Amino acid sequence: MSERTVLDHEVIVVGAGVAGIYQIKLLADLGVDARVLDAAGDLGGTWYGNRYPGARFDSESYTYGYSFSRELLNEWHWKERFSSQPENLRYLNYVADKFDLRKYMEFDCKVETLHFDETNDLWRLKIANGRQLTCRFVIMAVGLLSIPTPPRFQGMDRFKGRSFHTFYWPHAPVEMSGKRVAVIGTGATGIQVIAEIADKVGDLTVFQRRPNWSAPLNNGPISEAEMADIRSRYDAIFKTCGRTPGGFEHEPDRRGFYEVSREERLALWDKLYDSPGFAIWLRNFREIFTDEKANAEFSEYVAERIRRRVKDPAIAEKLIPRDHGFGVQRVPMETHYFEAYNRDNVHLVDISQTPIEEITETGLRTTERDYQFDVIVYATGFDAITGAFDRIDIQGRGGAKLRDKWNDGPSTFLGMLVHGFPNFLMPSGPQSGSASTNYPRGIETGVNWCTNLLQYMWAHNYVRAEPTPEAQERWTDHVKQMYSAMLMRKAKSWFTGYNSNVPGHEHGKIRYLVYNGGAPKYVNKINEVAEENYQGIVFTPASPPDQHQGGEKVSLVEKMPS
Ligand code: NA7
């Protein structure tokens, strides 16, 4: 029996998070036959998972929201400058309901295989429940940090208490009062959880392998009057986000680090330490990112602030990173994190000195001693950026597997297309602008660009788009070059593809995952490609019906938007 060549849908979007929701909105507006599939039980992506206490934006809420609808901007009231997970999930649901997008979405649909059918220019999908689907275009809106990576300790399934990775924090409230709780991991997630639960649990033990540089979030409520003011300034706010490297309102200090006096530097830093959000990272001198000496001076400033906040000098020293400078890894933002260690019920264990040997029935054992716990929280991070691609059996032309191609790190064209994988679009893929930008600002850029590409193809009756190997190589070289000036290339973090819990990624061999040229440069580059009729992409026109082999080939035309 020959394989079905009927197209179930023109476009299938994988993922119903921030990117997938916006993508389906645009496709629905165009009248395209499209579907969104998500492995989770409902929409929201990152904000559907990550229900751990303390989960919230580090982006100013009003710069994180979608910018595409004036009505939406006028209706939604962000209650906090850095909004928390429940509110963020409410927002995404509100958007989906307002624009009637749920009807295009299917949940509990884990895509297991994605194979390109070269004869028919279509993708064949298999879902975990055995269902099969076909579509012309696949849009991967799979998220940057959507594959949690628990550690690989012996005995993890033996533990008789409750244990979970933060991404899988249970939906029903977890009773914490009076409980003995362990948190393993002190990245952005661990730092949020620890600060939030320190005064709510009986006893909290933090297992830290490496400390992270962290600084106050300086969150606060947004009143009706402030929200009205924000609404009146939305155009200006998004304009600023569009011209800053990170897609935030934060603009770097344009003065040269060495051109101003030490007193002036300190004055700026004192101000930034008390400013909201990533100001301390992104309003700083640009040399912080590129110059070892400048970075070391600023790192020492932050170390001093930590020493002032932690009463026990020995604990303070343990909380100060030694292996990397401030801002070369993703900076976790905190609220009373350091003060948590001043509490009698909070203990810090340095597992670089006394590593965890195994999880036991009643807790865990380090090389030093046994610990008893009721709850163990794994705040151990994600298989970042390429992880969600690696978990799907993606085969392009000639049966080539994407995960093999990307084994030593991804190679893409503009972070949105891959040679050998036609009609496979990644609005927020590796090497795109999204990962290094205020995420929704980056994804709106990527989704708009991918949608324009599709419209161009529909207008020209093209059925296949694939970047040339030369264009892809040029882009990947450009991405690599962007890393060369950055101190971050030396740090073991998810920006460089390090993850001790993922085989092959534990040695810190650099993977060029993010675009470090800044949002404006990225937007210029991708717009240039579009303006030059998508130079670097080879298009294949639909063949006339009488040239079809097998007689069953599908004409797309009736499925095109009018
Ligand atoms: P991160 O930033 O990757 O942090 C993970 C943390 O877990 C980090 O402190 C790791 O220590 C620690 N870790 C990971 N594996 C282990 C094992 N096996 N044993 C002990 N400690 C471990 O992930 P987050 O979830 O905090 O943040 C991810 C992003 O989410 C964040 O950047 C925001 O954008 C939102 P290490 O540093 O590797 O020694």
Side-chain angles (χ1 to χ4, degrees):
M1 203 175 69
S2 68
E3 280 194 290
R4 266 164 21 115
T5 52
V6 175
L7 280 180
D8 290 305
H9 301 288
E10 173 70 2
V11 181
I12 290 184
V13 179
V14 185
V18 178
I21 291 170
Y22 180 47
Q23 183 64 74
I24 195 64
K25 164 78 173 82
L26 292 195
L27 293 172
D29 286 352
L30 290 169
V32 178
D33 173 15
R35 210 90 207 128
V36 184
L37 308 179
D38 198 299
D42 205 347
L43 62 81
T46 286
W47 302 109
Y48 178 80
N50 289 311
R51 290 164 190 245
Y52 61 83
R56 61 175 64 251
F57 292 151
D58 289 333
S59 303
E60 279 73 7
S61 309
Y62 48 88
T63 71
Y64 191 101
Y66 294 113
S67 71
F68 66 81
S69 161
R70 175 66 52 186
E71 217 178 84
L72 175 63
L73 292 169
N74 284 338
E75 282 167 9
W76 188 260
H77 181 161
W78 292 105
K79 301 286 187 335
E80 286 179 284
R81 197 168 182 113
F82 303 96
S83 172
S84 68
Q85 178 272 335
E87 184 74 349
N88 307 342
L89 187 58
R90 260 196 297 281
Y91 171 75
L92 293 176
N93 275 282
Y94 180 84
V95 173
D97 292 337
K98 175 178 173 63
F99 299 105
D100 199 15
L101 302 175
R102 270 180 186 281
K103 63 185 180 207
Y104 306 109
M105 299 179 182
E106 291 183 47
F107 302 107
D108 299 310
C109 281
K110 186 167 186 286
V111 177
E112 290 199 325
T113 68
L114 263 172
H115 292 177
F116 188 65
D117 173 339
E118 292 182 56
T119 312
N120 295 290
D121 298 311
L122 55 83
W123 282 94
R124 297 183 178 282
L125 285 78
K126 274 195 198 127
I127 316 291
N129 63 9
R131 195 167 138 218
Q132 302 194 18
L133 287 167
T134 54
C135 61
R136 181 72 80 212
F137 299 98
V138 169
I139 301 186
M140 300 294 282
V142 289
L144 302 169
L145 297 159
S146 50
I147 304 292
T149 48
R152 295 179 285 174
F153 299 128
Q154 268 184 15
M156 281 172 62
D157 50 0
R158 249 191 345 231
F159 181 58
K160 292 254 178 3
R162 301 192 73 178
S163 65
F164 31 79
H165 186 283
T166 43
F167 187 78
Y168 296 122
W169 193 281
H171 289 205
V174 178
E175 182 51 60
M176 292 291 224
S177 154
K179 299 280 193 262
R180 298 161 303 171
V181 179
V183 174
I184 301 173
T186 49
T189 303
I191 283 175
Q192 285 186 331
V193 183
I194 292 160
E196 184 70 24
I197 66 174
D199 63 351
K200 300 181 181 68
V201 301
D203 212 59
L204 173 62
T205 309
V206 176
F207 293 87
Q208 172 187 272
R209 192 164 61 185
R210 286 188 311 153
N212 256 290
W213 291 104
S214 184
L217 178 64
N218 296 310
N219 193 15
I222 299 180
S223 67
E224 289 285 353
E226 283 163 328
M227 198 60 225
D229 173 58
I230 289 166
R231 286 195 192 105
S232 74
R233 292 189 295 109
Y234 263 130
D235 284 344
I237 289 170
F238 290 126
K239 200 165 163 207
T240 307
C241 292
R243 69 162 183 260
T244 61
F248 291 92
E249 279 190 293
H250 308 299
E251 298 200 60
D253 197 303
R254 298 276 162 200
R255 297 171 299 167
F257 185 96
Y258 299 106
E259 282 163 21
V260 300
S261 66
R262 165 105 176 131
E263 286 65 36
E264 285 170 294
R265 294 201 282 274
L266 289 173
L268 174 69
W269 295 339
D270 282 346
K271 193 171 101 199
L272 293 182
Y273 202 80
D274 295 332
S275 299
F278 284 137
I280 188 118
W281 196 19
L282 305 178
R283 285 187 192 263
N284 219 314
F285 300 101
R286 286 164 298 172
E287 288 86 344
I288 299 295
F289 293 96
T290 55
D291 181 307
E292 300 267 10
K293 203 164 141 251
N295 183 283
E297 185 180 320
F298 180 59
S299 299
E300 185 47 34
Y301 169 86
V302 181
E304 211 32 58
R305 298 298 299 241
I306 295 171
R307 289 183 189 110
R308 279 197 236 161
R309 293 173 59 187
V310 179
K311 284 190 190 139
D312 180 336
I315 299 285
E317 292 311 312
K318 282 196 183 302
L319 293 168
I320 297 170
R322 312 280 166 199
D323 70 325
H324 65 280
F326 185 97
V328 305
Q329 298 183 178
R330 202 288 206 179
V331 177
M333 304 309 300
E334 46 85 21
T335 304
H336 308 313
Y337 172 66
F338 293 104
E339 287 74 11
Y341 294 96
N342 296 334
R343 300 178 57 85
D344 290 340
N345 70 328
V346 177
H347 322 283
L348 180 65
V349 178
D350 178 355
I351 51 172
S352 71
Q353 299 293 313
T354 57
I356 295 172
E357 288 192 321
E358 63 174 336
I359 307 296
T360 63
E361 281 189 15
T362 53
L364 64 80
R365 178 175 306 124
T366 66
T367 50
E368 188 186 40
R369 55 165 278 206
D370 272 298
Y371 293 84
Q372 316 297 315
F373 295 115
D374 303 304
V375 181
I376 300 180
V377 176
Y378 299 112
T380 47
F382 297 86
D383 188 356
I385 305 185
T386 48
F389 294 87
D390 290 345
R391 298 305 187 284
I392 302 174
D393 172 23
I394 302 169
Q395 297 188 20
R397 280 192 298 103
K401 288 180 188 266
L402 188 65
R403 74 165 77 103
D404 292 345
K405 295 241 170 215
W406 286 2
N407 194 33
D408 292 331
S411 184
T412 71
F413 180 51
L414 311 178
M416 293 194 276
L417 295 154
V418 190
H419 175 68
F421 297 80
N423 299 357
F424 181 82
L425 303 175
M426 309 177 294
S428 58
Q431 305 185 339
S432 76
S434 300
S436 48
T437 324
N438 187 6
Y439 186 58
R441 305 281 64 78
I443 69 106
E444 281 189 350
T445 300
V447 167
N448 290 343
W449 194 92
C450 289
T451 309
N452 287 341
L453 172 68
L454 292 178
Q455 286 188 273
Y456 178 84
M457 290 182 70
W458 290 323
H460 291 82
N461 207 16
Y462 291 143
V463 291
R464 202 195 267 208
E466 183 183 341
T468 64
E470 295 78 21
Q472 177 161 306
E473 200 180 321
R474 269 199 306 279
W475 183 257
T476 304
D477 285 348
H478 173 59
V479 169
K480 285 183 184 169
Q481 203 195 342
M482 297 282 127
Y483 271 78
S484 63
M486 312 287 288
L487 295 175
M488 66 125 87
R489 74 187 182 282
K490 298 181 183 169
K492 282 163 90 179
S493 85
W494 63 264
F495 280 173
T496 51
Y498 163 75
N499 185 321
S500 70
N501 309 307
V502 178
H505 297 194
E506 64 272 70
H507 305 300
K509 183 173 173 284
I510 191 163
R511 293 163 61 81
Y512 297 96
L513 296 178
V514 301
Y515 184 81
N516 287 311
K521 190 167 183 161
Y522 180 73
V523 171
N524 281 344
K525 294 250 175 214
I526 63 171
N527 285 348
E528 260 170 38
V529 170
E531 279 155 21
E532 289 167 16
N533 291 319
Y534 297 96
Q535 208 181 46
I537 301 176
V538 176
F539 295 100
T540 310
S543 48
D546 56 359
Q547 287 174 21
H548 288 169
Q549 313 242 319
E552 252 199 296
K553 192 159 179 172
V554 183
S555 163
L556 266 183
V557 180
E558 74 252 30
K559 302 214 170 193
M560 295 296 106
S562 50

